[in-house]
Amino acid sequence: MSRLVVVSNRVAPIHEGEATAGGLAAGVMDALRQSGGLWFGWSGRTLPQSVVPPDSLTPGSPPAVACSGPVTLYTTDLTQRDYDEYYKGFSNSTLWPTMHYQISLARFEHQDYLGYQRVNRHFAVSLAALLKEDDVIWVHDYHLMLLATALREIGVRNRIGFFLHVPFPASSVFSTIPVHAELGRGLATFDLIGFQTEGDQRAFSNYMREELQAETCPEGHLQLGHRVVRTGVYPIGVEADPLRAEAIRGRDDPAICDYKGRLDQRALIMSVERLDYSKGLRQRFSAFERFLVQCPEWRRQVEYLQIAPPSRSDVEAYQTIRRELEGEAGRINGRFAELDWTPLRYLNRSFPRDQLMPLYALAAVGLVTPLRDGMNLVAKEYVAAQDPEDPGVLILSQFAGAARELDGAVRVNPHDEAGMAYAMKIALQMPVAEKRDRHASMMRSLRTNSLDAWRDRFLFDLRLAEAGLSAAA
Ligand SMILES: O=P(O)(O)OC[C@H]1O[C@H](O[C@H]2O[C@H](CO)[C@@H](O)[C@H](O)[C@H]2O)[C@H](O)[C@@H](O)[C@@H]1O
Ligand SMILES: O=c1ccn([C@@H]2O[C@H](COP(=O)(O)OP(=O)(O)O)[C@@H](O)[C@H]2O)c(=O)[nH]1
């Protein structure tokens, strides 16, 4: 069997027990642990610009290596300028807001796009030196849309697949990016493009037809000039049984026992996400406030725990949302708190998974209400961590990719604060028989769309796809 080579900007911390930064790193690490392989990405370190010659592609040292079981991790540093232009700039100030329909927050600077092209080329050159002839390359996410183009330009002939973890927006939204056509053509260079949902796949196909004049072939693929562009839908999953086992193990953790004692029979509503404007925290805080106004009988009976580790803190839009939420959390607590009750516990730090799982299991309600989300693994983890005999209720935004699968959730529109407040009341009062039915139905879907299925289905299709050069004949 050919070796699997995964490429992503963010790689998981190699040591057990450390909190991962986001779902991509968590999901890819779990998927790779099973299959083994090589994982290439950014080290998370930046070098001062002075150590790199002005037009050099490769910052100084060769990639660093670490091993975690069957996974060999190669990481490369970026320069401060790379970080500013490629990561903070084009990836997270242009692409991220646009892919999440927040075009009023999107900023485009041509210089940032040049940095994005440069880092994609740098990844290609560093990776090419590590490749064997029959390696299968699986590239992840919006930071690396131009990687197949860069690899082909330097003569790499291996199969190259791409998986987009974030939503693909409507054609009219994606085309607000001044360089959208180059990105679209870059994506078309991959041998297979995977999406989280059918909606994302459809939006991409529409974009390719409307803006790049691609045509639909009789077999259903897209045709762009001489190239056949293959796409598929592969929802990322979780490993349900190990997560439940972690939830059970963690019940005896002293910090968890202590917190359970402090809750003192109060019902726990819990949310977990990176502090990101796409996650809908502001609207959710307001919905919780409405719930306390409209359901005074629940005051003192409930605590809302919001875990929100800071993310991309040097991007202005993230600083703004952080300031706003600090103000709102203080205001809501100031309005409702009593000597012996604080309604909203807002924590700006990350938790390792072995603590998150028992916390999920304690929570009567998992509140997951992003404005847009590619998938949202927290929603799936919350379901997996529950006791099937006495499960909690998931309240889930209709705009999370996970909503396509988790039909037992109480579904909400994150722009409808009154609707979310009502959903909290419904969830807290739900009879146990209904909670069990809903949970069982969601568990069936977690088992069908498992993490193994995500990896195996994508790689099966990629191995079938013709290698780039023959497809472009
Ligand atoms: O690497 P960061 O800039 O710190 O951001 C963390 C990750 O956030 C995003 O995660 C996405 O992938 C998840 C797994 O498929 C999915 O559930 C979620 O909806 C997405 O937002 C981002 O796409 C990753 O590249 C980042 O590493
Ligand atoms: O304090 C935290 C917060 C989050 N996570 C993990 O980060 C991932 C978040 O993934 P998700 O798909 O929900 O969102 P993303 O951050 O990737 O947009 C999940 O696996 C969480 O368990 C974590 O380990 N510790």
Side-chain angles (χ1 to χ4, degrees), residues 20 22-23 26 272 274 279 307 309 350-351 356 360 376-378 381:
T20 51
V272 179
R274 288 177 301 100
K279 301 287 185 181
I307 294 178
S350 69
F351 282 70
L356 274 187
Y360 289 150
N376 197 296
L377 289 180
V378 166
E381 291 166 359

Side-chain angles (χ1 to χ4, degrees), residues 201-244:
Q201 182 192 40
R202 206 168 32 245
F204 175 74
S205 300
N206 288 344
Y207 165 76
M208 294 296 281
R209 281 193 291 262
E210 286 169 18
E211 295 291 334
L212 299 189
Q213 286 72 52
E215 288 177 5
T216 310
C217 322
E219 319 80 65
H221 303 308
L222 289 167
Q223 178 100 34
L224 184 67
H226 293 300
R227 253 202 96 66
V228 175
V229 185
R230 290 177 172 77
T231 63
V233 177
Y234 312 90
I236 190 169
V238 295
E239 291 185 291
D241 293 333
L243 292 178
R244 173 69 189 142

Side-chain angles (χ1 to χ4, degrees), residues 171-471:
S171 178
S172 57
V173 172
F174 191 70
S175 56
T176 59
I177 302 171
V179 293
H180 64 85
E182 283 181 46
L183 299 174
R185 281 190 220 99
L187 287 174
T189 310
F190 288 94
D191 297 312
L192 174 67
I193 309 166
F195 297 94
Q196 302 268 29
T197 67
E198 280 166 13
D200 299 316
Q201 182 192 40
R202 206 168 32 245
F204 175 74
S205 300
N206 288 344
Y207 165 76
M208 294 296 281
R209 281 193 291 262
E210 286 169 18
E211 295 291 334
L212 299 189
Q213 286 72 52
E215 288 177 5
T216 310
C217 322
E219 319 80 65
H221 303 308
L222 289 167
Q223 178 100 34
L224 184 67
H226 293 300
R227 253 202 96 66
V228 175
V229 185
R230 290 177 172 77
T231 63
V233 177
Y234 312 90
I236 190 169
V238 295
E239 291 185 291
D241 293 333
L243 292 178
R244 173 69 189 142
E246 209 148 12
I248 294 171
R249 252 196 322 275
R251 283 193 296 223
D252 302 327
D253 180 318
I256 303 297
C257 295
D258 184 50
Y259 182 54
K260 192 174 174 190
R262 280 169 202 273
L263 269 178
D264 191 21
Q265 308 295 324
R266 288 190 184 103
L268 176 63
I269 300 178
M270 182 177 173
S271 302
V272 179
E273 56 249 305
R274 288 177 301 100
L275 211 176
D276 193 304
Y277 51 79
S278 65
K279 301 287 185 181
L281 285 106
R282 199 175 332 105
Q283 293 78 352
R284 195 186 309 147
F285 279 19
S286 300
F288 180 64
E289 182 174 15
R290 274 191 195 234
F291 165 74
L292 293 177
V293 170
Q294 286 167 7
C295 305
E297 70 282 11
W298 275 101
R299 294 185 200 165
R300 289 171 170 278
Q301 305 305 315
V302 72
E303 172 167 317
Y304 169 23
L305 170 65
Q306 172 69 63
I307 294 178
S311 170
R312 309 172 191 163
S313 323
D314 45 7
V315 177
E316 195 186 328
Y318 288 76
Q319 295 164 359
T320 308
I321 180 82
R322 185 169 185 177
R323 265 196 314 276
E324 285 175 4
L325 291 174
E326 275 160 12
E328 279 299 275
R331 193 184 59 72
I332 293 170
N333 278 334
R335 180 172 176 193
F336 295 99
E338 301 285 350
L339 281 176
D340 56 353
W341 176 57
T342 308
L344 167 53
R345 195 176 289 266
Y346 177 47
L347 305 183
N348 284 147
R349 55 159 282 214
S350 69
F351 282 70
R353 265 215 267 189
D354 55 1
Q355 288 197 322
L356 274 187
M357 299 309 141
L359 283 172
Y360 289 150
L362 265 187
V365 178
L367 192 52
V368 182
T369 60
L371 304 179
R372 289 275 163 184
D373 219 330
M375 177 53 66
N376 197 296
L377 289 180
V378 166
K380 293 187 169 183
E381 291 166 359
Y382 175 76
V383 172
Q386 299 306 304
D387 173 358
E389 292 307 310
D390 184 20
V393 179
L394 175 67
I395 298 179
L396 183 59
S397 161
Q398 67 187 88
F399 300 118
R404 305 289 118 212
E405 301 158 67
L406 298 179
D407 57 353
V410 174
R411 191 189 279 224
V412 292
N413 180 335
H415 301 281
D416 176 4
E417 290 167 10
M420 285 195 284
Y422 183 63
M424 289 179 212
K425 181 176 181 209
I426 295 292
L428 287 165
Q429 292 172 345
M430 191 177 282
V432 73
E434 182 177 349
K435 292 199 262 190
R436 283 188 198 140
D437 286 351
R438 286 172 177 264
H439 178 257
S441 158
M442 292 193 282
M443 283 304 292
R444 279 193 290 280
S445 137
L446 289 195
R447 294 194 194 289
T448 308
N449 291 327
S450 67
L451 193 61
D452 288 351
W454 172 66
R455 179 199 58 220
D456 293 345
R457 288 186 47 236
F458 184 91
L459 293 177
F460 181 82
D461 287 355
L462 178 57
R463 287 188 166 108
L464 279 188
E466 295 163 71
L469 289 181
S470 55

